[in-house]
Amino acid sequence: MQRDSNSQEKDILHKYNEIFLDNIKDILNIKKKVDLYDVRDRVTADAVKKINEVYAFLWNPDVVLDNVLPEPEPTKLRALYTGLMRPEVILRSIVRYSLYTDDILVVSPFTNPNCMAEKYNPLEHPEQHIDTTLKCVVFMLKLEPWIRAGIVQIIPEPGDFDYPLRMQVFEMAEKRSKSIPKEAFDIHDADFSYSKQDMLRSYLHGPQEYVINLFRRAVPSLKDKSDKEVLKVVNSMKESDPLLSPYVDITKNPQLIMSTSGTNLEMALYIQQLTGSYLYTDMKFRWLEILSALDSEDTTELWSPLTYAFQNLDFRFLDGVNPDFAFRLREEGRVELLRSFVRQTWSSINQTEVISEEKVRTFTDELTNTFNATKSDYDKIDKDLAKWLLSKENLGKVGGAFLSGSLNLILPASANFVTDAIGKLVDSHSKRKTFKVKYPLSVFLELHNKQK
C-alpha cells in the first residue's frame, strides 16, 4: 500500500479517505455491492491487523495536521458532527442533516495504533479488536458514497499527533465536567440504548452452555425448551446480526470494546476553530454539555431573535429513506436556497466586526422569507420520495418518511469559552492564523413526533 505523495494539500484528506476505503475493500475482497453479512464474515483477526496497519501508516506521527485538515473557508457552510459514532446510526445522522450544510466533518471512529500501548494494540493483538474493527469498517462502508463525493470528510483526532494538546484538552474537560447538569446523565433514549445491544452481543459470544442457560432464564418462552430448541433461537440471532462476528469466543479472545462520540467537547471546539466549522449534534447528552459550557449570556441574548426564529420553523428531515435517494437529493442541490442563506449569513457574521440588534433583526426577517420560499422545494422532494418508493425496483423493499423537526441553535456558542481557552490552544498548537470563528455556532437537530 502506497500513499499518494503527489496530492495537492487541499486534496490530501479526501485522498487519504479514499485510499483507506480502497484498502479496506481490497483486504476484505469487496468488489462491487457491499453485503454487510459478507463483511462480517471477512473481518478476521488477520484482516483486523491489515486494516489497522493501513490506518497507522496513513496517520503516522509525522503527519502535519495543518496540512491535512480542510482549510477554513468563510463562505463554506461546514458542519462538524459530534454525536453517536455507531454504524447503526451514523448514516441516519448524516442523511437527516445533509440538506442543510455544504459538507460534514466526522472524527474517525478508528483508534490510532500509533497511540496505543502494546498490550492493547490491534497490531499486536488483532484478535481482541475484531468486534470494534467490524463496527468501524461498517461505519466507513455505509458512508462511502458520501465520503467519495466529498460531502463527508473523515478526520483524525488531533490529539493523536500532539500529546501535550491531548493532555490540555483532558484537563479542560475535567474542570468543565463539574458544571454538567445531573439530568444530562439521566437521559434514557437512543443515545444510550445501543449499549444494550453490545451487552447482548457479548453474551452471545460466550460458551454455548452458558448462552443456553442464560437465554432459558431470561426469556420466559424458552424456560421449558430443550437445549437444541434454545440453541436454534440463539443461532438465529447470531446469523441475523451483521455486527456480530463469528470469530469471537470471549473465553479465548476477549474483546476490547471501544465506543466514542467522535471526540470530547473541548477537542471539537478546537477542530471547529482550525477548520472554520460549526458543531452539529443530534445527541441530547452532547447538547446539554454545550449548554453547560455557555458563559456569555449578554451576547447570547443579542442573537435570541434569530435563534428563536430557527427553533420555531418547521424544518423537514429525511428519515429511514434509501441512502441512494438521499444522496441523489444532495447531489442535485435540493434546498439550496435555504442553504445559501445560512451560508451567506454565517460568512457575514464572521466578517463583521460588530453585530448590532438591527443586523440580527435583518437576518431574522431574511430567514423567514427564505424558509417560506423553500416550502415548494419540500413539496417537490415529497413527490420525488413517493415516486421513488412506488417504483418497480423499490416497491416493497424500502421505506422512509419526511419528518418535521427543529434546529435549535446557540449563537454564539460558549463565546468566551471558545475565544479564551480554545483560542489559546489554537495559537499554541497550530500555525493557522488566517481565520478564526468569531461567533461560534452549535446546532441541535430535534425531530418532532409527526410525519409530513
Side-chain angles (χ1 to χ4, degrees):
M1 198 280 298
Q2 294 185 349
R3 202 163 48 226
D4 187 348
S5 60
N6 296 319
S7 305
Q8 302 253 335
E9 281 192 356
K10 65 180 180 180
D11 294 327
I12 287 179
L13 181 62
H14 190 191
K15 287 183 179 295
Y16 273 29
N17 282 326
E18 289 193 319
I19 289 170
F20 189 44
L21 276 167
D22 290 342
N23 277 270
I24 288 174
K25 297 180 80 170
D26 285 345
I27 291 167
L28 301 181
N29 195 28
I30 298 172
K31 299 301 183 184
K32 295 182 180 179
K33 185 177 180 180
V34 175
D35 184 307
L36 295 185
Y37 294 96
D38 284 344
V39 172
R40 175 194 65 185
D41 295 340
R42 295 174 186 178
V43 178
T44 61
D46 182 57
V48 167
K49 182 174 182 178
K50 291 178 179 177
I51 289 169
N52 280 277
E53 282 177 340
V54 174
Y55 193 85
F57 177 75
L58 285 171
W59 300 117
N60 66 80
D62 294 328
V63 168
V64 179
L65 211 56
D66 278 356
N67 296 338
V68 176
L69 291 181
E71 290 280 354
E73 299 177 54
T75 59
K76 173 161 278 192
L77 198 59
R78 173 176 291 144
L80 169 62
Y81 176 69
T82 169
L84 212 57
M85 306 288 288
R86 294 188 61 102
E88 301 99 322
V89 299
I90 187 60
L91 187 59
R92 180 195 71 189
S93 298
I94 297 301
V95 165
R96 283 178 177 173
Y97 194 63
S98 60
L99 293 176
Y100 299 104
T101 195
D102 291 330
D103 59 25
I104 301 176
L105 303 182
V106 178
V107 178
S108 175
F110 281 85
T111 302
N112 195 325
N114 297 311
C115 307
M116 300 178 71
E118 182 177 332
K119 65 179 180 178
Y120 303 120
N121 202 303
L123 303 186
E124 301 297 330
H125 305 284
E127 72 284 352
Q128 296 181 6
H129 293 263
I130 294 175
D131 271 349
T132 294
T133 301
L134 172 58
K135 291 188 181 76
C136 292
V137 164
V138 172
F139 180 101
M140 293 292 295
L141 293 175
K142 282 194 171 187
L143 290 178
E144 180 179 7
W146 303 80
I147 293 171
R148 292 193 186 277
I151 299 171
V152 171
Q153 301 188 73
I154 306 296
I155 65 173
E157 158 73 53
D160 291 348
F161 309 91
D162 189 336
Y163 184 74
L165 170 65
R166 182 191 294 274
M167 297 311 298
Q168 284 181 273
V169 165
F170 283 169
E171 290 173 6
M172 292 171 62
E174 186 176 6
K175 291 179 181 179
R176 179 185 53 80
S177 65
K178 299 175 183 178
S179 66
I180 300 176
K182 291 182 179 179
E183 58 266 28
F185 300 96
D186 296 329
I187 297 174
H188 300 287
D189 61 6
D191 291 350
F192 300 104
S193 65
Y194 294 99
S195 61
K196 296 180 180 178
Q197 293 184 15
D198 287 338
M199 183 73 72
L200 175 60
R201 289 182 182 119
S202 68
Y203 290 148
L204 291 171
H205 282 321
Q208 182 173 298
E209 182 179 354
Y210 166 80
V211 176
I212 290 174
N213 290 332
L214 177 67
F215 270 70
R216 189 176 281 129
R217 292 194 306 269
V219 183
S221 62
L222 298 177
K223 182 178 179 180
D224 299 320
K225 299 293 184 181
S226 67
D227 287 1
K228 185 177 180 180
E229 290 173 307
V230 176
L231 189 59
K232 183 178 180 180
V233 173
V234 170
N235 288 337
S236 177
M237 292 182 67
K238 288 183 176 181
E239 292 170 5
S240 63
D241 187 348
L243 294 178
L244 185 69
S245 172
Y247 305 111
V248 174
D249 180 343
I250 58 174
T251 63
K252 299 176 181 178
N253 54 338
Q255 297 297 289
L256 290 172
I257 303 299
M258 302 179 188
S259 60
T260 176
S261 59
T263 188
N264 67 19
L265 178 58
E266 283 73 16
M267 189 63 82
L269 292 168
Y270 178 83
I271 296 170
Q272 176 190 59
Q273 293 292 315
L274 284 185
T275 60
S277 56
Y278 63 93
L279 303 190
Y280 149 62
T281 188
D282 52 3
M283 184 179 180
K284 289 183 180 179
F285 176 81
R286 179 50 50 83
W287 184 244
L288 289 175
E289 270 196 304
I290 293 171
L291 292 176
S292 73
L294 282 172
D295 58 5
S296 185
E297 293 183 3
D298 292 340
T299 50
T300 301
E301 185 64 27
L302 171 67
W303 294 100
S304 60
L306 183 59
T307 57
Y308 289 158
F310 264 99
Q311 291 166 13
N312 290 323
L313 292 176
D314 199 19
F315 286 88
R316 309 281 284 281
F317 302 97
L318 294 165
D319 191 73
V321 302
N322 185 296
D324 293 338
F325 173 77
F327 183 71
R328 192 189 77 186
L329 292 180
R330 184 61 179 80
E331 287 286 272
E332 291 174 354
R334 300 299 185 93
V335 197
E336 173 56 32
L337 188 64
L338 184 59
R339 197 160 53 246
S340 177
F341 162 76
V342 180
R343 186 188 304 119
Q344 292 172 13
T345 302
W346 174 247
S347 175
S348 175
I349 287 172
N350 279 291
Q351 292 179 21
T352 303
E353 289 299 322
V354 179
I355 301 294
S356 64
E357 291 183 6
E358 181 180 357
K359 187 67 172 177
V360 173
R361 284 196 297 271
T362 300
F363 289 146
T364 304
D365 292 339
E366 290 176 352
L367 169 64
T368 303
N369 293 334
T370 304
F371 184 81
N372 289 334
T374 301
K375 290 180 179 178
S376 61
D377 213 2
Y378 283 157
D379 292 338
K380 291 177 182 177
I381 294 175
D382 247 341
K383 292 177 181 178
D384 285 350
L385 178 58
K387 291 179 181 178
W388 178 275
L389 295 175
L390 294 174
S391 62
K392 286 184 178 181
E393 63 271 24
N394 295 313
L395 191 60
K397 295 183 180 180
V398 294
F402 214 12
L403 302 184
S404 65
S406 59
L407 293 178
N408 297 329
L409 270 66
I410 300 176
L411 199 152
S414 313
N416 293 336
F417 180 71
V418 173
T419 303
D420 295 339
I422 303 300
K424 290 177 182 177
L425 283 184
V426 173
D427 289 339
S428 59
H429 292 273
S430 173
K431 295 180 180 179
R432 292 190 177 181
K433 309 293 183 183
T434 56
F435 175 81
K436 288 191 178 74
V437 180
K438 291 192 299 183
Y439 296 97
L441 166 70
S442 291
V443 176
F444 176 56
L445 188 160
E446 186 172 23
L447 291 178
H448 300 153
N449 294 321
K450 59 181 180 178
Q451 294 186 1
K452 288 289 181 179

